[in-house]
Amino acid sequence: MAFTTRPTLRGTFGMVSSTHWLATAAAQSVLERGGNAFDAAVTAGFALHVVEPHLNGPGGDAPILASVRGGAPQVLCGQGPAPAGATVTHYRDLGLDLVPGTGPLAAALPGAVDAWLLLLRDHGTWPLGDVLAYAIELAQVGHVPVPQLTATVEAVRDLFTEHWSTSARLWLPGGRAPRTDELFCNPALAATWRRLVAEAEAAGHDREAQIEAARRTWREGFIAEAMLAASDTMTMDSSGTAHRGTMTGDDLAGHAAHWEESVSAGWGDWTVHKVGPWSQGPVLLQQLTMLDDVTPGSLAPQGFDAEVVHRLVEQTKLAFADRDAWYGDAAEVPLGTLLSAEYAAQRRGLVSSSASYEWRPGSPSGRRAVLADHIRRLLDGAAGPVAAAGVGEPTVQTGDGGAVRPDGVTRGDTCHVDVVDRWGNLVAATPSGGWLQSNPTIAELGFPLGSRLQMAWLTEGLPNTLTPGRRPRTTLTPSMASRDGQVVLAFGTPGGDQQDQWSTHLFLRLADEHARTGRLELQAAIDATNWHTDAVIGSFWPRSYDPGSLVIEGGAEHELIKGLKDRGHNVTVGAPWSEGRLCAVSRDPESGILSAGANPRGMQGYAAGR
């Protein structure tokens, strides 16, 4: 891991890594002004809503991992559940067999904003007004859009102009998409946050009282009223038909972000911590448990060759098959068995010298998987054509630019931010959803509702069945890793179903190299050639599956590509620098040295620190 596009940053004061330089700069500014990692992360989260609106927004979601002074990570659940009226029967009665990928029927209760506010209340030190000042300025004064924002708006131009007029007014003023050489402003969003701050400050001078007042306004005040009106508006969605949503005032008022325990698994002297099985997070842990026969330092001393990549890909397929059969929030998940050494050994035994083209969920404790109707159709070849490898994933740069479809469907990009401060606090967060192309812009608020319910099934009795009050299984999955009881690493990436593929590869590179050298070379691990498989059941509408597929980054060595093809993988070579948008920060508890690295792919992720 010698080559790097930029250095691994090192210092002792504070470090930030995120998917956009302006979010990184805002968070580092907070650290420089005396804020802690939690103040900085919340600031970055609201900034990302402004500068990456095609990838996340206030109407979306935000699973967060927080470690106080290097202690055991806690999960802050910013994933909203389904409204009370979002039942399988209701959607089936509308003639649907999948939840649409856009529109009010796809909207879960928004969870991101309340999660950021709860993080600020419980572990931050700054007043709400100071934190939101950065996002307000970016929205009011403007920012220079990244090229993908412009491309996203162009992709959905006809949808906006023909059906979503409020979106057209914001994103196509005068018929022109935001330009990368001009400032773009969102005055409605700036006004929303100014009014939120004003209503919060009216509650008095106590910082926590102000934050609680803001949370009430979000759930029950002017913001809630506008979101409810948007949900109740007949809206054209990806099904080709207009529908209205089911969200009610009781739904919004009754939902709040909350804290819960993380789940973990070890590899050598490392422990990796993830969000629970209402996310896809434990698939990273399952991949680690299947590597229990390999010790760190011996996995790939000469780099990831074809034999190693083949094994990792095959174990990825097995872990993700378990995700689709067993993960969710609507039924008990046998996580203890799924992460046990005995089960891992059974699954590891299925890996052969040739690529598998089968979808093979396991049978934990002898249980048999019940399949969603759509999965059955996919496996029978009756669900229409599967997606071509790499197409439609915004973090996989493909020749057709398939980030967003003309109907607004997005196959799962998002944002990420990691922060570590001089006191040893760490945050890893993966905010997403509420994309500008997910639902019509709510004119008076400056943002749309999300579309996370598209990940739930319309088949009864599954762990991920669409169920009122339960969370759709999300792909959002921040990560932390600890050694000797101290969290030393926070990391993650956008990328939908690819998140716990790219994050796994990053962690394995770091842990394997650390065993040999004692160093964590974050930037080199981020820059290394990456890959993913689409031989998983897609989490985003229209829920595709491409058995045997393997997309490897352009620039990979010919010998590696040939070795994978010889093992039976259906290899597609993607564009150079096209796989992943990884971020990472670390802290050495002994020396106090802080480090950070950020992804060069897409030319917008940056780390900062001193």
Side-chain angles (χ1 to χ4, degrees):
M1 296 193 298
F3 171 79
T4 61
T5 58
R6 54 184 87 166
T8 294
L9 304 185
R10 290 190 171 89
T12 58
F13 182 82
M15 292 283 166
V16 181
S17 178
S18 89
T19 50
H20 196 289
W21 67 87
L22 288 175
T24 295
Q28 184 64 25
S29 173
V30 171
L31 295 179
E32 297 289 350
R33 293 172 58 192
N36 65 18
F38 308 110
D39 299 314
V42 176
T43 299
F46 281 101
L48 286 168
H49 291 164
V50 181
V51 299
E52 292 196 294
H54 55 304
L55 307 179
N56 80 138
D61 336 281
I64 302 168
L65 284 172
S67 168
V68 178
R69 297 185 180 272
Q74 295 290 303
V75 173
L76 178 49
C77 176
Q79 174 56 63
T87 65
V88 170
T89 298
H90 176 66
Y91 285 61
R92 293 285 192 182
D93 287 347
L94 294 172
L96 300 169
D97 58 5
L98 285 176
V99 177
T102 60
L105 282 179
L109 301 181
V113 168
D114 197 54
W116 289 123
L117 295 178
L118 186 60
L119 180 63
L120 183 66
R121 187 199 73 180
D122 289 354
H123 295 305
T125 62
W126 274 30
L128 177 63
D130 290 352
V131 167
L132 276 175
Y134 292 85
I136 291 171
E137 181 180 15
L138 286 167
Q140 185 68 48
V141 176
H143 62 96
V144 178
V146 294
Q148 192 58 47
L149 194 162
T150 301
T152 297
V153 174
E154 288 291 357
V156 292
R157 172 182 289 274
D158 290 346
L159 174 67
F160 283 9
T161 56
E162 296 174 14
H163 299 288
W164 295 5
S165 59
T166 56
S167 296
R169 285 197 294 273
L170 176 61
W171 298 106
L172 290 164
R176 195 177 73 172
R179 292 181 51 166
T180 58
D181 59 352
E182 295 180 352
L183 289 175
F184 179 81
C185 305
N186 187 343
L189 181 58
T192 296
W193 295 146
R194 282 198 300 268
R195 182 174 174 185
L196 180 70
V197 170
E199 295 196 9
E201 291 177 345
H205 297 291
D206 181 76
R207 191 185 75 92
E208 291 190 11
Q210 289 183 2
I211 295 171
E212 281 303 301
R215 297 179 73 198
R216 286 193 299 274
T217 295
W218 174 262
R219 295 196 297 261
E220 302 176 37
F222 77 96
I223 298 176
E225 291 172 359
M227 290 193 292
L228 290 172
S231 175
D232 196 42
T233 300
M234 290 291 288
T235 300
M236 178 63 68
D237 60 38
S238 62
S239 72
T241 302
H243 297 103
R244 58 169 43 93
T246 65
M247 199 178 296
T248 68
D250 288 343
D251 290 323
L252 285 176
H255 170 65
H258 63 277
W259 293 97
E260 58 188 48
E261 297 297 315
S262 62
V263 297
S264 61
W267 191 54
D269 58 356
W270 289 85
T271 301
V272 177
H273 310 271
K274 299 290 290 183
V275 175
W278 52 266
S279 80
Q280 71 179 18
V283 299
L284 191 158
L285 307 181
Q286 286 196 248
Q287 291 171 85
L288 293 185
T289 60
M290 283 186 272
L291 285 172
D292 191 49
D293 60 327
V294 179
T295 58
S298 63
L299 177 64
Q302 305 304 319
F304 281 30
D305 60 17
E307 182 177 354
V308 170
V309 173
H310 166 74
R311 174 172 177 178
L312 295 179
V313 171
E314 293 304 294
Q315 292 181 173
T316 294
K317 296 175 187 176
L318 294 170
F320 273 80
D322 278 339
R323 177 201 72 169
D324 289 309
W326 300 109
Y327 291 18
D329 192 40
E332 180 185 358
V333 178
L335 191 61
T337 301
L338 292 171
L339 296 179
S340 68
E342 296 78 13
Y343 185 78
Q346 294 173 16
R347 302 294 275 161
R348 184 168 59 241
L350 296 176
V351 177
S352 70
S353 59
S354 298
S356 170
Y357 280 62
E358 297 180 79
W359 185 73
R360 297 181 291 179
S363 300
S365 303
R367 296 169 60 178
R368 301 284 294 180
V370 179
L371 305 187
D373 295 339
H374 184 72
I375 293 180
R376 290 187 182 278
R377 291 193 296 270
L378 281 174
L379 300 179
D380 292 340
V386 297
V391 173
E393 173 57 60
T395 51
V396 181
Q397 296 169 14
T398 56
D400 64 3
V404 179
R405 292 163 38 126
D407 60 2
V409 169
T410 304
R411 282 194 63 201
D413 202 358
T414 177
C415 309
H416 189 81
V417 59
D418 299 310
V419 187
V420 59
D421 64 25
R422 62 191 185 274
W423 300 287
N425 301 308
L426 294 100
V427 180
T430 312
S432 186
W435 308 301
L436 67 88
Q437 65 275 16
S438 63
N439 259 291
T441 296
I442 304 170
E444 61 267 49
L445 299 182
F447 66 83
L449 296 173
S451 56
R452 189 63 57 183
L453 291 185
Q454 67 181 289
M455 295 184 173
W457 295 117
L458 297 181
T459 300
E460 297 280 11
L462 306 178
N464 194 32
T465 295
L466 179 67
T467 305
R470 311 303 292 181
R471 296 163 288 190
R473 191 201 67 228
T474 179
T475 55
L476 307 177
T477 174
S479 304
M480 286 188 177
S482 60
R483 297 178 69 248
D484 300 323
Q486 284 281 307
V487 173
V488 299
L489 179 66
F491 59 105
T493 179
D497 295 310
Q498 281 71 55
Q499 287 184 36
D500 280 308
Q501 300 185 52
W502 295 325
S503 288
T504 300
H505 309 157
L506 175 71
F507 171 74
L508 291 175
R509 285 191 173 100
L510 290 171
D512 204 50
E513 181 73 11
H514 184 270
R516 291 190 295 273
T517 68
R519 292 172 64 86
L520 289 176
E521 293 292 347
L522 303 184
Q523 194 61 50
I526 289 170
D527 288 346
T529 300
N530 222 322
W531 67 89
H532 80 274
T533 177
D534 289 314
V536 303
I537 306 299
S539 294
F540 296 87
W541 191 95
R543 315 299 296 269
S544 58
Y545 171 60
D546 192 0
S549 71
L550 177 58
V551 182
I552 193 161
E553 200 163 31
E557 295 181 358
H558 173 76
E559 183 178 351
L560 173 59
I561 296 171
K562 181 179 182 302
L564 293 168
K565 288 182 176 179
D566 289 345
R567 287 167 172 81
H569 295 277
N570 181 16
V571 178
T572 297
V573 179
W577 299 106
S578 60
E579 290 279 315
R581 290 173 66 206
L582 289 153
C583 301
V585 300
S586 66
R587 176 180 182 271
D588 186 326
E590 295 182 3
S591 67
I593 293 176
L594 312 178
S595 301
N599 180 56
R601 298 162 177 87
M603 297 187 294
Q604 65 182 67
Y606 278 87
R610 70 172 175 94

